[in-house]
Amino acid sequence: MSNYEIIGLMSGTSMDGLDIAHVKFDFNADSNDSFELLNTDTVPIPDELLQKLMDAPNYSVAQLLMLDKEFGRFLADSVTKFIDQKKIVKNSINAIASHGQTILHQPNNGFTLQIGCGSTLSYLTDINVINDFRTKDIVAGGQGAPLVPIGDFGLFSDLAEGFLNIGGFANVSFKNDDSIVAYDICPGNLPLNKLAHAKNLEYDKNGELAKSGEINFFLLDLLNSLDYYLLDGPKSLGTEWIEEFYYPKLKFDKEIENNLRTVVEHTAIQISNVLNSAHLNSVLVTGGGAKNGFLVERIQHYFNGELILPEQKIIDFKEAIVFAYLGALYLDKRPNALSSVTGAQKNTIGGVFHLPG
């Protein structure tokens, strides 16, 4: 039996904060892996740093390298304060497992980039760090995503048949016979938040603004006709795709409520199409989109099965918990990226290990 205490860090594509999860894992060869969520927090990203992260895809190499170190210092400062505030015994932590902030994701070109310098994070916290979880899978011919499904079935399989996470993008995982299938379905919170920003709102709370609008059926048909939805998995989405193919179809200067209403309907249709085609009876919903009551209502309208909302901390921190799990699997020398999910040639143990000294 192996035990690990890991601090998982997750800052997603929606950039709505850094999620921190302090998790204890028990690995027993005779039973399923289990975990205990000990402490959590969400740290807002400072406005100046947030703007740099949003602009980063257009940065020069030198600017990216500087931002990599700056974001690493932000991660280190956040973890240090978290440990102090939660009164965590630092020597009990086996590693920090950091997703980093995705700046570029182009698996078809053989690379992905998540910044947040692991050496900086390790040195400043004096704790082992595992980061860069996606690269090895891409080297092995995979998409480098999604990585969360191994945690869905390793930690939460008793809660539902399938798993839907609605973050910046919406992704799903489920079993087909004995193989885990997972992929990005469509944009999730990214277009909803961007439209809400046009109304000087951080996000559309509970989908109320969208609910007040009317569906633009011409726009709905345009969105539902995007070529990505015709592709079979494994497949994944990145901000490059949404900027090139999705956003040009929306209006961000007028008819915001109608655009929001249409995007919600589009998202619900695409998600339910996938869930229904997989013949799922129950699906666990997590991520920021799980708090959008109107979006969940519209998905349930089309979905033939039952949507299950877990306790709030699982909704908020599941991805941080799972990245902590990926770190524990790395330390246990077990695969943490599944070829059946990513399309790689084989399962891999992804991550780069940084010693603090």
Side-chain angles (χ1 to χ4, degrees), residues 214-252:
E214 296 182 357
I215 297 173
N216 178 333
F217 287 98
F218 177 74
L219 173 60
L220 182 62
D221 286 343
L222 282 178
L223 294 176
N224 285 332
S225 299
L226 287 165
D227 289 344
Y228 178 82
Y229 303 132
L230 300 176
L231 301 175
D232 294 325
K235 58 182 180 177
S236 62
L237 290 167
T239 53
E240 297 96 326
W241 179 88
I242 200 171
E243 291 282 353
E244 182 176 356
F245 298 107
Y246 196 99
Y247 285 159
K249 293 176 170 47
L250 301 181
K251 296 175 182 176
F252 295 98

Side-chain angles (χ1 to χ4, degrees), residues 10-18 43-59 63-75 99-104 113-117 190 239 243:
M10 182 68 196
S11 55
T13 50
S14 52
M15 299 188 195
D16 50 2
L18 172 68
V43 181
I45 300 172
D47 290 343
E48 184 179 348
L49 178 57
L50 182 61
Q51 189 60 53
K52 290 179 182 178
L53 293 172
M54 293 171 66
D55 295 340
N58 300 315
Y59 274 13
Q63 288 174 310
L64 270 180
L65 289 172
M66 287 189 288
L67 183 58
D68 178 47
K69 301 298 185 290
E70 182 179 354
F71 193 60
R73 291 192 294 272
F74 165 72
L75 297 178
H99 174 272
Q101 184 64 49
T102 299
I103 303 301
L104 298 167
L113 175 64
Q114 286 75 41
I115 65 169
C117 177
L190 277 177
T239 53
E243 291 282 353

Side-chain angles (χ1 to χ4, degrees), residues 286-298:
T286 55
K291 300 182 200 176
N292 185 326
F294 184 57
L295 175 59
V296 172
E297 176 187 314
R298 295 312 298 162

Side-chain angles (χ1 to χ4, degrees), residues 117-352:
C117 177
S119 294
T120 298
L121 176 56
S122 180
Y123 182 78
L124 293 179
T125 58
D126 196 31
I127 300 172
N128 299 329
V129 166
I130 308 161
N131 70 341
D132 194 13
F133 283 95
R134 300 184 186 276
T135 294
K136 188 181 288 186
D137 181 82
I138 289 177
V139 171
Q143 291 282 307
L147 297 182
V148 170
I150 195 169
D152 288 336
F153 289 94
L155 303 176
F156 302 103
S157 59
D158 59 332
L159 299 181
E161 288 183 6
F163 301 89
L164 171 68
N165 190 78
I166 310 173
F169 296 99
N171 52 66
V172 67
S173 63
F174 55 90
K175 279 194 172 179
N176 184 4
D177 295 326
D178 291 329
S179 295
I180 296 175
V181 177
Y183 50 86
D184 288 338
I185 300 174
C186 63
N189 296 328
L190 277 177
L192 297 176
N193 291 349
K194 188 174 175 68
L195 285 163
H197 292 166
K199 286 283 192 178
N200 296 314
L201 297 171
E202 188 176 347
Y203 60 94
D204 181 16
K205 187 175 181 180
N206 211 33
E208 292 298 330
L209 206 59
K211 195 171 184 177
S212 71
E214 296 182 357
I215 297 173
N216 178 333
F217 287 98
F218 177 74
L219 173 60
L220 182 62
D221 286 343
L222 282 178
L223 294 176
N224 285 332
S225 299
L226 287 165
D227 289 344
Y228 178 82
Y229 303 132
L230 300 176
L231 301 175
D232 294 325
K235 58 182 180 177
S236 62
L237 290 167
T239 53
E240 297 96 326
W241 179 88
I242 200 171
E243 291 282 353
E244 182 176 356
F245 298 107
Y246 196 99
Y247 285 159
K249 293 176 170 47
L250 301 181
K251 296 175 182 176
F252 295 98
D253 58 347
K254 58 183 178 180
E255 299 182 14
I256 300 303
E257 290 85 352
N258 294 345
N259 274 264
L260 277 166
R261 179 68 183 87
T262 305
V263 168
V264 164
E265 202 71 9
H266 161 73
T267 304
I269 288 170
Q270 292 303 323
I271 288 173
S272 60
N273 284 347
V274 169
L275 303 185
N276 288 332
S277 66
H279 306 293
L280 297 171
N281 294 310
S282 60
V283 173
L284 189 77
V285 188
T286 55
K291 300 182 200 176
N292 185 326
F294 184 57
L295 175 59
V296 172
E297 176 187 314
R298 295 312 298 162
I299 297 169
Q300 186 63 80
H301 173 78
Y302 291 107
F303 176 42
N304 298 328
E306 178 189 7
L307 296 179
I308 298 171
L309 297 176
E311 62 177 287
Q312 194 64 47
K313 282 199 172 183
I314 301 300
I315 289 176
D316 291 339
F317 294 100
K318 193 188 84 167
E319 287 195 301
I321 293 167
V322 170
F323 269 85
Y325 182 56
L326 300 185
L329 291 173
Y330 177 98
L331 295 178
D332 213 49
K333 299 179 180 178
R334 293 164 56 189
N336 56 14
L338 300 175
S339 60
S340 66
V341 169
T342 68
Q345 296 162 0
K346 63 178 183 178
N347 296 342
T348 57
I349 303 174
V352 176

Side-chain angles (χ1 to χ4, degrees), residues 67-125:
L67 183 58
D68 178 47
K69 301 298 185 290
E70 182 179 354
F71 193 60
R73 291 192 294 272
F74 165 72
L75 297 178
D77 182 60
S78 300
V79 169
T80 299
K81 289 178 179 176
F82 177 77
I83 288 172
D84 290 343
Q85 291 168 358
K86 305 297 182 181
K87 296 180 170 53
I88 298 169
V89 179
K90 189 162 75 169
N91 290 342
S92 69
I93 304 300
N94 297 102
I96 298 166
S98 176
H99 174 272
Q101 184 64 49
T102 299
I103 303 301
L104 298 167
H105 182 67
Q106 299 181 23
N108 294 339
N109 291 325
F111 70 89
T112 188
L113 175 64
Q114 286 75 41
I115 65 169
C117 177
S119 294
T120 298
L121 176 56
S122 180
Y123 182 78
L124 293 179
T125 58

